[in-house]
Amino acid sequence: MDRRDVLKLGAGFAAALYFARHADVIGEARADDGEPFSFATLVERARQLSLSPYAPPADTIPENYKDLNYDQYRDIRFKREDALWANDNLGFTAEFFSAGYLYATPVQIFTVANGRATELKYRADLFTYGQNVTPPPEGTAPGFSGFRIHTPIDKAYQMDEFAVFQGASYFRAKATGQGYGLSARGLAIDTARPPHDEFPVFRAFWIVRPESGASSVTVFALLDSISVSGAYKFVISARANTVMDVDCTLFPRKTMAHAGIAPLTSMFYFAPSTSYRADEVRNRVHDSDGLAIWNGKGEHIWRPLINSPRVQFSSFVDDAVRGFGLVQRERRGDRYEDFEAHYEQRPSLWVEPRESFGKGSVDLVELPTTTEYFDNIVAYWHPKEPLAAGASYAYKYRLTWCDAPPLRINYATVAQTLVGASLQNAGRRLFNIDFAGTEEFNLCDDSDEFCGDKSRTMELTASAGTIVNATIRRNRVSGGHRVAFEYEPAAGSDEADLRCGLLSDGKPISEVWIYRWTA
């Protein structure tokens, strides 16, 4: 994990976790050890917790560990030989992080075996300490701030880190051939709304010992904050994609009008699809370049991300959404020209309800940024009705960390969006939208430079302002078709939503491209 990743993940919040050496050392549960544990007991614990006012976890971190800088913190390294299940040949291991630096909320960690849970205790000798940092002062115990899980995902004989839980209710994963990128969270509350966001924390984790040869590992978590408590179950499997089946039950202490279910957090700095341009040698910098939605009507929506000069809220109202996600669609390394960050290897993350989410909206929040170190993009499911204090709410969904969403693509997709100044009119913006996968549809004859009747080949509208000089033609360089047009903003308008979809024989055959123009 490099500096920019740690800076983005921190944000002043943390969670904590722990690991151990062998069963007799770390106290993994035997048949007669520990307390009985199940998801039902965790749900009841969350319900009971919600009946009392929120009390934050005890602060056990010594002051000098709170003041660590990045280089000092990364010099605290868990001993790999002491990883959970290191000698058990189960196909998975877990290693743990110390609390400190940005991760200032210690949590409890338990292992679960034979249906019983045993707490794992922090010990300073589970870590090595580099030249930049010293062990915690005698008599102190910072505790743990998170953990990472290993399994072979790139090479059959190599245990690769592929999932991390650390910081508030944040967690990340990656699939084969990928590096880390965007994050998920347990819950988002009042995102970018006054007076401030509320960040629930996972205050305790339970890691279940997998059976030998198992293809998945299960993690439970207890979520808590001023407004809500909740119980979470993650069944995590790593194949070509990393898949997490999530069950959660929430118990609001306060009525939450702006709760975000299955929230995703990413970074979009700049690209040719946005008017914002950094003074950079790179052509684009982003962990994700678009929001994809498969709505309840069966439409596939592609919303290119932007870096606006002000906070932007977008809501895609729906009933029984089929899926949504933040996607890194551009996979060509020469489009990024970054040999260190390798943004072309960042995962996409797709959310699929396993039980209907009902009525609500997919909400997208875009915050302005002048740096790649700030996660400025948030997307989540927003229930239509507020989550009421004293009630309970259960959600089941699947998270797939992947190159592209696991969908059957039988429609044309947006390959790229290019935005710039009009060559003819200084007040207009020029848009080029490249669609891929159009060849099998009846759009243009091979001999046509431009398609004929545009009303039969595309729908192109603007919520404000005027579309002019619209054309559609074959893209003889990359394949597919290109839609080009100029947009003239309405007088006094500072934003508009532009919409484009392709038609063949009068029927939709593409994703619906939706773009937020801002002045």
Side-chain angles (χ1 to χ4, degrees):
M1 190 179 302
D2 66 18
R3 182 187 302 268
R4 74 188 95 192
D5 290 333
V6 171
L7 288 172
K8 288 197 299 180
L9 274 177
F13 299 93
L17 195 16
Y18 168 79
F19 89 112
R21 176 168 291 183
H22 309 294
D24 58 335
V25 176
I26 64 172
E28 255 202 299
R30 296 185 295 271
D32 56 348
D33 285 342
E35 297 293 329
F37 179 83
S38 67
F39 189 46
T41 62
L42 182 59
V43 169
E44 176 59 18
R45 178 171 175 176
R47 188 189 72 83
Q48 291 287 345
L49 191 62
S50 72
L51 301 179
S52 302
Y54 173 70
D59 183 359
T60 60
I61 304 175
E63 289 302 318
N64 65 324
Y65 265 50
K66 295 177 182 177
D67 296 334
L68 295 176
N69 61 33
Y70 167 81
D71 291 317
Q72 291 171 322
Y73 183 72
R74 72 187 301 270
D75 255 3
I76 306 173
R77 302 178 186 273
F78 189 82
K79 295 177 181 177
R80 174 154 291 191
E81 64 271 20
D82 286 335
L84 190 62
W85 313 315
N87 301 313
D88 296 342
N89 196 30
L90 299 178
F92 295 94
T93 62
E95 298 179 5
F96 300 83
F97 300 109
S98 171
Y101 181 46
L102 300 174
Y103 306 104
T105 306
V107 300
Q108 290 179 289
I109 303 304
F110 300 81
T111 60
V112 180
N114 304 310
R116 306 185 77 86
T118 301
E119 185 174 3
L120 303 178
K121 299 297 186 180
Y122 170 91
R123 297 199 322 267
D125 64 359
L126 294 172
F127 299 88
T128 63
Y129 302 88
Q131 62 182 2
N132 292 307
V133 67
T134 59
E138 189 73 26
T140 66
F144 301 94
S145 68
F147 64 102
R148 55 187 179 181
I149 308 173
H150 297 75
T151 198
I153 63 170
D154 289 319
K155 298 179 180 178
Y157 55 85
Q158 178 176 297
M159 298 294 285
D160 303 298
E161 177 188 333
F162 78 103
V164 174
F165 288 75
Q166 186 182 29
S169 67
Y170 283 85
F171 55 97
R172 298 199 292 177
K174 59 183 179 180
T176 300
Q178 294 182 338
Y180 284 124
L182 80 169
S183 302
R185 280 189 275 168
L187 190 68
I189 303 175
D190 293 337
T191 301
R193 297 180 182 276
H196 52 73
D197 298 35
E198 182 177 324
F199 289 88
V201 301
F202 285 143
R203 63 187 302 157
F205 291 95
W206 290 258
I207 308 174
V208 181
R209 178 185 177 90
E211 298 292 332
S212 179
S215 61
S216 65
V217 62
T218 300
V219 174
F220 296 90
L222 177 64
L223 180 129
D224 201 17
S225 77
I226 293 173
S227 296
V228 64
S229 64
Y232 283 72
K233 177 184 178 181
F234 301 88
V235 179
I236 308 168
S237 61
R239 298 182 181 88
N241 295 329
T242 294
V243 178
M244 299 180 176
D245 280 348
V246 184
D247 294 13
C248 74
T249 303
L250 303 174
F251 299 94
R253 290 185 173 94
K254 301 180 179 180
T255 296
M256 298 182 291
H258 298 286
I261 307 302
L264 317 178
T265 302
S266 191
M267 180 274 294
F268 181 89
Y269 184 19
F270 68 92
S273 59
T274 182
S275 298
Y276 180 87
R277 291 289 192 275
D279 187 13
E280 281 259 10
V281 297
R282 297 174 293 179
N283 293 323
R284 62 188 76 213
V285 175
H286 48 72
D287 286 334
S288 308
D289 53 8
L291 169 68
I293 302 172
W294 185 16
N295 67 21
K297 297 178 181 179
E299 286 183 319
H300 292 273
I301 294 171
W302 177 252
R303 165 62 155 78
L305 300 177
I306 63 172
N307 183 1
S308 171
R310 58 187 177 275
V311 178
Q312 291 288 326
F313 294 91
S314 301
S315 291
F316 299 85
V317 177
D318 205 354
D319 186 357
V321 66
R322 302 183 189 188
F324 68 93
L326 291 175
V327 175
Q328 185 75 316
R329 186 164 280 181
E330 181 53 77
R331 292 292 175 186
R332 291 167 289 188
D334 61 350
R335 294 297 181 95
Y336 296 94
E337 295 291 353
D338 192 324
F339 299 153
E340 295 182 0
H342 286 292
Y343 287 109
E344 74 277 5
Q345 297 175 6
R346 303 295 169 110
S348 302
L349 181 50
W350 183 249
V351 180
E352 177 186 356
R354 291 163 42 231
E355 292 183 355
S356 175
F357 282 177
K359 294 182 179 181
S361 59
V362 176
D363 285 6
L364 174 66
V365 182
E366 296 164 303
L367 306 172
T369 184
T370 58
T371 173
E372 65 195 281
Y373 301 128
F374 174 47
D375 275 350
N376 62 319
I377 304 296
V378 185
Y380 50 81
W381 177 254
H382 180 198
K384 180 180 179 181
E385 300 298 329
L387 302 190
S392 66
Y393 301 86
Y395 297 93
K396 295 184 177 182
Y397 53 93
R398 174 168 295 163
L399 300 177
T400 302
W401 309 76
C402 51
D403 280 341
L407 300 172
R408 181 180 178 184
I409 305 298
N410 55 1
Y411 49 88
T413 59
V414 177
Q416 69 172 345
T417 302
L418 305 173
V419 182
S422 167
L423 300 178
Q424 307 297 326
N425 189 313
R428 296 176 181 172
R429 303 297 293 170
L430 175 62
F431 286 81
N432 288 337
I433 313 168
D434 285 334
F435 286 88
T438 59
E439 292 82 356
E440 62 183 282
F441 300 106
N442 181 23
L443 288 174
C444 296
D445 293 333
D446 286 339
S447 59
D448 292 342
E449 180 179 2
F450 291 95
C451 295
D453 184 356
K454 293 188 290 293
S455 67
R456 291 185 57 80
T457 55
M458 65 178 172
E459 291 181 330
L460 182 57
T461 61
S463 63
T466 306
I467 303 291
V468 295
N469 299 329
T471 63
I472 178 172
R473 64 188 298 181
R474 284 192 177 278
N475 187 330
R476 300 190 184 280
V477 176
S478 61
H481 285 74
R482 171 171 288 186
V483 172
F485 64 91
E486 292 180 324
Y487 171 68
E488 185 168 318
S493 175
D494 61 1
E495 68 179 48
D497 287 321
L498 313 181
R499 180 183 175 101
C500 180
L502 299 185
L503 306 173
S504 178
D505 299 324
K507 298 180 180 179
I509 55 91
S510 76
E511 290 180 320
V512 179
W513 174 89
I514 298 177
Y515 187 91
R516 172 65 57 84
W517 169 83
T518 59

mmCIF file of all heavy atoms in Angstrom, residues 397-428:
data_model
loop_
_atom_site.group_PDB
_atom_site.id
_atom_site.type_symbol
_atom_site.label_atom_id
_atom_site.label_comp_id
_atom_site.label_asym_id
_atom_site.label_seq_id
_atom_site.Cartn_x
_atom_site.Cartn_y
_atom_site.Cartn_z
ATOM 1 N N TYR A 397 -26.756 -8.081 -0.429
ATOM 2 C CA TYR A 397 -26.244 -7.697 -1.741
ATOM 3 C C TYR A 397 -24.895 -8.364 -1.978
ATOM 4 O O TYR A 397 -24.271 -8.910 -1.059
ATOM 5 C CB TYR A 397 -26.121 -6.175 -1.867
ATOM 6 C CG TYR A 397 -25.340 -5.476 -0.774
ATOM 7 C CD1 TYR A 397 -23.984 -5.218 -0.911
ATOM 8 C CD2 TYR A 397 -25.982 -5.038 0.392
ATOM 9 C CE1 TYR A 397 -23.272 -4.561 0.076
ATOM 10 C CE2 TYR A 397 -25.281 -4.382 1.390
ATOM 11 C CZ TYR A 397 -23.928 -4.134 1.226
ATOM 12 O OH TYR A 397 -23.227 -3.484 2.219
ATOM 13 N N ARG A 398 -24.476 -8.308 -3.222
ATOM 14 C CA ARG A 398 -23.198 -8.907 -3.632
ATOM 15 C C ARG A 398 -22.282 -7.815 -4.174
ATOM 16 O O ARG A 398 -22.703 -6.972 -4.968
ATOM 17 C CB ARG A 398 -23.420 -9.978 -4.690
ATOM 18 C CG ARG A 398 -22.146 -10.568 -5.300
ATOM 19 C CD ARG A 398 -22.462 -11.799 -6.115
ATOM 20 N NE ARG A 398 -22.972 -12.854 -5.238
ATOM 21 C CZ ARG A 398 -23.643 -13.925 -5.675
ATOM 22 N NH1 ARG A 398 -23.896 -14.070 -6.956
ATOM 23 N NH2 ARG A 398 -24.050 -14.835 -4.803
ATOM 24 N N LEU A 399 -21.042 -7.824 -3.731
ATOM 25 C CA LEU A 399 -20.016 -6.927 -4.246
ATOM 26 C C LEU A 399 -19.043 -7.742 -5.091
ATOM 27 O O LEU A 399 -18.480 -8.721 -4.605
ATOM 28 C CB LEU A 399 -19.258 -6.256 -3.101
ATOM 29 C CG LEU A 399 -20.063 -5.404 -2.122
ATOM 30 C CD1 LEU A 399 -19.157 -4.889 -1.004
ATOM 31 C CD2 LEU A 399 -20.731 -4.243 -2.832
ATOM 32 N N THR A 400 -18.843 -7.321 -6.335
ATOM 33 C CA THR A 400 -17.903 -8.004 -7.216
ATOM 34 C C THR A 400 -16.798 -7.029 -7.603
ATOM 35 O O THR A 400 -17.053 -6.008 -8.248
ATOM 36 C CB THR A 400 -18.597 -8.534 -8.483
ATOM 37 O OG1 THR A 400 -19.653 -9.426 -8.105
ATOM 38 C CG2 THR A 400 -17.600 -9.273 -9.369
ATOM 39 N N TRP A 401 -15.576 -7.342 -7.164
ATOM 40 C CA TRP A 401 -14.386 -6.565 -7.506
ATOM 41 C C TRP A 401 -13.821 -7.181 -8.780
ATOM 42 O O TRP A 401 -13.454 -8.359 -8.792
ATOM 43 C CB TRP A 401 -13.378 -6.604 -6.362
ATOM 44 C CG TRP A 401 -13.962 -6.239 -5.024
ATOM 45 C CD1 TRP A 401 -14.757 -7.015 -4.233
ATOM 46 C CD2 TRP A 401 -13.819 -5.002 -4.327
ATOM 47 N NE1 TRP A 401 -15.108 -6.344 -3.086
ATOM 48 C CE2 TRP A 401 -14.545 -5.098 -3.111
ATOM 49 C CE3 TRP A 401 -13.114 -3.812 -4.592
ATOM 50 C CZ2 TRP A 401 -14.606 -4.069 -2.184
ATOM 51 C CZ3 TRP A 401 -13.178 -2.784 -3.662
ATOM 52 C CH2 TRP A 401 -13.909 -2.916 -2.477
ATOM 53 N N CYS A 402 -13.731 -6.402 -9.863
ATOM 54 C CA CYS A 402 -13.545 -6.991 -11.178
ATOM 55 C C CYS A 402 -12.956 -5.966 -12.147
ATOM 56 O O CYS A 402 -12.808 -4.784 -11.806
ATOM 57 C CB CYS A 402 -14.897 -7.474 -11.712
ATOM 58 S SG CYS A 402 -16.198 -6.196 -11.614
ATOM 59 N N ASP A 403 -12.653 -6.401 -13.361
ATOM 60 C CA ASP A 403 -12.296 -5.465 -14.431
ATOM 61 C C ASP A 403 -13.545 -4.785 -14.972
ATOM 62 O O ASP A 403 -13.567 -3.578 -15.194
ATOM 63 C CB ASP A 403 -11.575 -6.198 -15.566
ATOM 64 C CG ASP A 403 -10.108 -6.440 -15.262
ATOM 65 O OD1 ASP A 403 -9.553 -5.760 -14.383
ATOM 66 O OD2 ASP A 403 -9.511 -7.322 -15.900
ATOM 67 N N ALA A 404 -14.581 -5.568 -15.228
ATOM 68 C CA ALA A 404 -15.846 -5.043 -15.756
ATOM 69 C C ALA A 404 -16.988 -5.749 -15.050
ATOM 70 O O ALA A 404 -16.856 -6.907 -14.630
ATOM 71 C CB ALA A 404 -15.926 -5.273 -17.263
ATOM 72 N N PRO A 405 -18.132 -5.108 -14.891
ATOM 73 C CA PRO A 405 -19.263 -5.732 -14.205
ATOM 74 C C PRO A 405 -19.636 -7.070 -14.835
ATOM 75 O O PRO A 405 -19.553 -7.237 -16.059
ATOM 76 C CB PRO A 405 -20.390 -4.703 -14.375
ATOM 77 C CG PRO A 405 -19.681 -3.393 -14.504
ATOM 78 C CD PRO A 405 -18.427 -3.705 -15.273
ATOM 79 N N PRO A 406 -20.045 -8.035 -14.016
ATOM 80 C CA PRO A 406 -20.373 -9.368 -14.522
ATOM 81 C C PRO A 406 -21.748 -9.399 -15.182
ATOM 82 O O PRO A 406 -22.711 -9.963 -14.652
ATOM 83 C CB PRO A 406 -20.328 -10.231 -13.257
ATOM 84 C CG PRO A 406 -20.715 -9.283 -12.164
ATOM 85 C CD PRO A 406 -20.151 -7.938 -12.557
ATOM 86 N N LEU A 407 -21.841 -8.777 -16.347
ATOM 87 C CA LEU A 407 -23.099 -8.670 -17.071
ATOM 88 C C LEU A 407 -22.966 -9.288 -18.449
ATOM 89 O O LEU A 407 -21.882 -9.286 -19.045
ATOM 90 C CB LEU A 407 -23.503 -7.196 -17.224
ATOM 91 C CG LEU A 407 -23.719 -6.406 -15.940
ATOM 92 C CD1 LEU A 407 -23.921 -4.931 -16.260
ATOM 93 C CD2 LEU A 407 -24.926 -6.944 -15.186
ATOM 94 N N ARG A 408 -24.059 -9.767 -18.974
ATOM 95 C CA ARG A 408 -24.096 -10.218 -20.361
ATOM 96 C C ARG A 408 -24.272 -8.975 -21.234
ATOM 97 O O ARG A 408 -25.326 -8.340 -21.222
ATOM 98 C CB ARG A 408 -25.244 -11.201 -20.577
ATOM 99 C CG ARG A 408 -25.323 -11.719 -22.010
ATOM 100 C CD ARG A 408 -26.480 -12.689 -22.184
ATOM 101 N NE ARG A 408 -26.581 -13.136 -23.559
ATOM 102 C CZ ARG A 408 -27.544 -13.929 -24.014
ATOM 103 N NH1 ARG A 408 -28.486 -14.360 -23.168
ATOM 104 N NH2 ARG A 408 -27.575 -14.286 -25.272
ATOM 105 N N ILE A 409 -23.249 -8.634 -21.984
ATOM 106 C CA ILE A 409 -23.258 -7.400 -22.772
ATOM 107 C C ILE A 409 -23.780 -7.712 -24.171
ATOM 108 O O ILE A 409 -23.068 -8.229 -25.027
ATOM 109 C CB ILE A 409 -21.849 -6.781 -22.858
ATOM 110 C CG1 ILE A 409 -21.276 -6.563 -21.458
ATOM 111 C CG2 ILE A 409 -21.899 -5.471 -23.628
ATOM 112 C CD1 ILE A 409 -22.046 -5.607 -20.587
ATOM 113 N N ASN A 410 -25.050 -7.405 -24.414
ATOM 114 C CA ASN A 410 -25.642 -7.564 -25.742
ATOM 115 C C ASN A 410 -26.127 -6.208 -26.260
ATOM 116 O O ASN A 410 -27.150 -6.098 -26.929
ATOM 117 C CB ASN A 410 -26.787 -8.577 -25.717
ATOM 118 C CG ASN A 410 -27.848 -8.221 -24.678
ATOM 119 O OD1 ASN A 410 -27.733 -7.208 -23.990
ATOM 120 N ND2 ASN A 410 -28.866 -9.055 -24.572
ATOM 121 N N TYR A 411 -25.373 -5.167 -25.921
ATOM 122 C CA TYR A 411 -25.717 -3.809 -26.311
ATOM 123 C C TYR A 411 -24.414 -3.032 -26.512
ATOM 124 O O TYR A 411 -23.342 -3.447 -26.052
ATOM 125 C CB TYR A 411 -26.579 -3.140 -25.236
ATOM 126 C CG TYR A 411 -26.020 -3.268 -23.842
ATOM 127 C CD1 TYR A 411 -25.126 -2.332 -23.336
ATOM 128 C CD2 TYR A 411 -26.380 -4.343 -23.032
ATOM 129 C CE1 TYR A 411 -24.595 -2.460 -22.062
ATOM 130 C CE2 TYR A 411 -25.855 -4.483 -21.757
ATOM 131 C CZ TYR A 411 -24.968 -3.541 -21.278
ATOM 132 O OH TYR A 411 -24.430 -3.680 -20.022
ATOM 133 N N ALA A 412 -24.492 -1.920 -27.193
ATOM 134 C CA ALA A 412 -23.319 -1.079 -27.406
ATOM 135 C C ALA A 412 -22.986 -0.334 -26.114
ATOM 136 O O ALA A 412 -23.880 0.077 -25.363
ATOM 137 C CB ALA A 412 -23.574 -0.090 -28.538
ATOM 138 N N THR A 413 -21.688 -0.156 -25.863
ATOM 139 C CA THR A 413 -21.227 0.520 -24.653
ATOM 140 C C THR A 413 -20.421 1.760 -25.012
ATOM 141 O O THR A 413 -19.875 1.879 -26.115
ATOM 142 C CB THR A 413 -20.356 -0.412 -23.802
ATOM 143 O OG1 THR A 413 -19.233 -0.837 -24.575
ATOM 144 C CG2 THR A 413 -21.145 -1.629 -23.353
ATOM 145 N N VAL A 414 -20.321 2.683 -24.058
ATOM 146 C CA VAL A 414 -19.533 3.901 -24.254
ATOM 147 C C VAL A 414 -18.069 3.578 -23.995
ATOM 148 O O VAL A 414 -17.695 3.200 -22.882
ATOM 149 C CB VAL A 414 -20.013 5.024 -23.328
ATOM 150 C CG1 VAL A 414 -19.134 6.259 -23.501
ATOM 151 C CG2 VAL A 414 -21.470 5.362 -23.608
ATOM 152 N N ALA A 415 -17.242 3.732 -25.028
ATOM 153 C CA ALA A 415 -15.814 3.452 -24.890
ATOM 154 C C ALA A 415 -15.066 4.639 -24.315
ATOM 155 O O ALA A 415 -14.137 4.475 -23.523
ATOM 156 C CB ALA A 415 -15.222 3.063 -26.244
ATOM 157 N N GLN A 416 -15.436 5.843 -24.716
ATOM 158 C CA GLN A 416 -14.803 7.024 -24.143
ATOM 159 C C GLN A 416 -15.650 8.253 -24.431
ATOM 160 O O GLN A 416 -16.456 8.287 -25.370
ATOM 161 C CB GLN A 416 -13.384 7.220 -24.668
ATOM 162 C CG GLN A 416 -13.270 7.610 -26.127
ATOM 163 C CD GLN A 416 -11.842 7.982 -26.515
ATOM 164 O OE1 GLN A 416 -10.985 8.220 -25.671
ATOM 165 N NE2 GLN A 416 -11.587 8.038 -27.805
ATOM 166 N N THR A 417 -15.445 9.271 -23.608
ATOM 167 C CA THR A 417 -16.076 10.571 -23.767
ATOM 168 C C THR A 417 -14.977 11.613 -23.851
ATOM 169 O O THR A 417 -14.079 11.649 -22.994
ATOM 170 C CB THR A 417 -17.008 10.885 -22.582
ATOM 171 O OG1 THR A 417 -18.004 9.866 -22.479
ATOM 172 C CG2 THR A 417 -17.667 12.238 -22.752
ATOM 173 N N LEU A 418 -15.035 12.460 -24.862
ATOM 174 C CA LEU A 418 -14.046 13.519 -25.060
ATOM 175 C C LEU A 418 -14.767 14.849 -25.048
ATOM 176 O O LEU A 418 -15.773 15.032 -25.748
ATOM 177 C CB LEU A 418 -13.300 13.333 -26.386
ATOM 178 C CG LEU A 418 -12.617 11.975 -26.593
ATOM 179 C CD1 LEU A 418 -12.070 11.874 -28.006
ATOM 180 C CD2 LEU A 418 -11.512 11.781 -25.572
ATOM 181 N N VAL A 419 -14.265 15.797 -24.266
ATOM 182 C CA VAL A 419 -14.913 17.098 -24.097
ATOM 183 C C VAL A 419 -13.879 18.194 -24.280
ATOM 184 O O VAL A 419 -12.762 18.111 -23.734
ATOM 185 C CB VAL A 419 -15.572 17.225 -22.715
ATOM 186 C CG1 VAL A 419 -16.275 18.569 -22.580
ATOM 187 C CG2 VAL A 419 -16.563 16.085 -22.479
ATOM 188 N N GLY A 420 -14.232 19.225 -25.023
ATOM 189 C CA GLY A 420 -13.333 20.369 -25.212
ATOM 190 C C GLY A 420 -14.089 21.560 -25.752
ATOM 191 O O GLY A 420 -15.314 21.517 -25.957
ATOM 192 N N ALA A 421 -13.370 22.633 -25.991
ATOM 193 C CA ALA A 421 -13.973 23.853 -26.521
ATOM 194 C C ALA A 421 -14.368 23.657 -27.977
ATOM 195 O O ALA A 421 -13.690 22.960 -28.742
ATOM 196 C CB ALA A 421 -12.997 25.015 -26.391
ATOM 197 N N SER A 422 -15.464 24.257 -28.369
ATOM 198 C CA SER A 422 -15.880 24.243 -29.763
ATOM 199 C C SER A 422 -14.860 24.982 -30.622
ATOM 200 O O SER A 422 -14.316 26.011 -30.219
ATOM 201 C CB SER A 422 -17.255 24.898 -29.915
ATOM 202 O OG SER A 422 -17.550 25.158 -31.260
ATOM 203 N N LEU A 423 -14.613 24.463 -31.812
ATOM 204 C CA LEU A 423 -13.684 25.124 -32.731
ATOM 205 C C LEU A 423 -14.329 26.312 -33.424
ATOM 206 O O LEU A 423 -13.633 27.168 -33.982
ATOM 207 C CB LEU A 423 -13.197 24.113 -33.780
ATOM 208 C CG LEU A 423 -12.469 22.885 -33.239
ATOM 209 C CD1 LEU A 423 -12.092 21.946 -34.389
ATOM 210 C CD2 LEU A 423 -11.236 23.286 -32.460
ATOM 211 N N GLN A 424 -15.666 26.378 -33.404
ATOM 212 C CA GLN A 424 -16.378 27.413 -34.146
ATOM 213 C C GLN A 424 -16.975 28.496 -33.262
ATOM 214 O O GLN A 424 -17.133 29.626 -33.703
ATOM 215 C CB GLN A 424 -17.512 26.765 -34.960
ATOM 216 C CG GLN A 424 -17.059 25.612 -35.850
ATOM 217 C CD GLN A 424 -16.076 26.045 -36.909
ATOM 218 O OE1 GLN A 424 -16.151 27.164 -37.423
ATOM 219 N NE2 GLN A 424 -15.109 25.170 -37.234
ATOM 220 N N ASN A 425 -17.297 28.163 -32.029
ATOM 221 C CA ASN A 425 -18.016 29.099 -31.169
ATOM 222 C C ASN A 425 -17.455 28.993 -29.758
ATOM 223 O O ASN A 425 -17.541 27.942 -29.123
ATOM 224 C CB ASN A 425 -19.523 28.776 -31.177
ATOM 225 C CG ASN A 425 -20.346 29.827 -30.476
ATOM 226 O OD1 ASN A 425 -20.014 30.256 -29.376
ATOM 227 N ND2 ASN A 425 -21.446 30.238 -31.106
ATOM 228 N N ALA A 426 -16.892 30.091 -29.265
ATOM 229 C CA ALA A 426 -16.214 30.072 -27.966
ATOM 230 C C ALA A 426 -17.166 29.775 -26.813
ATOM 231 O O ALA A 426 -16.737 29.361 -25.748
ATOM 232 C CB ALA A 426 -15.505 31.402 -27.723
ATOM 233 N N GLY A 427 -18.449 29.984 -27.006
ATOM 234 C CA GLY A 427 -19.402 29.746 -25.928
ATOM 235 C C GLY A 427 -19.926 28.330 -25.866
ATOM 236 O O GLY A 427 -20.713 27.997 -24.979
ATOM 237 N N ARG A 428 -19.513 27.491 -26.815
ATOM 238 C CA ARG A 428 -20.021 26.134 -26.868
ATOM 239 C C ARG A 428 -18.966 25.126 -26.421
ATOM 240 O O ARG A 428 -17.770 25.407 -26.441
ATOM 241 C CB ARG A 428 -20.464 25.787 -28.296
ATOM 242 C CG ARG A 428 -21.634 26.613 -28.810
ATOM 243 C CD ARG A 428 -21.920 26.259 -30.261
ATOM 244 N NE ARG A 428 -23.026 27.063 -30.798
ATOM 245 C CZ ARG A 428 -23.382 27.069 -32.084
ATOM 246 N NH1 ARG A 428 -22.723 26.298 -32.952
ATOM 247 N NH2 ARG A 428 -24.383 27.814 -32.477
#
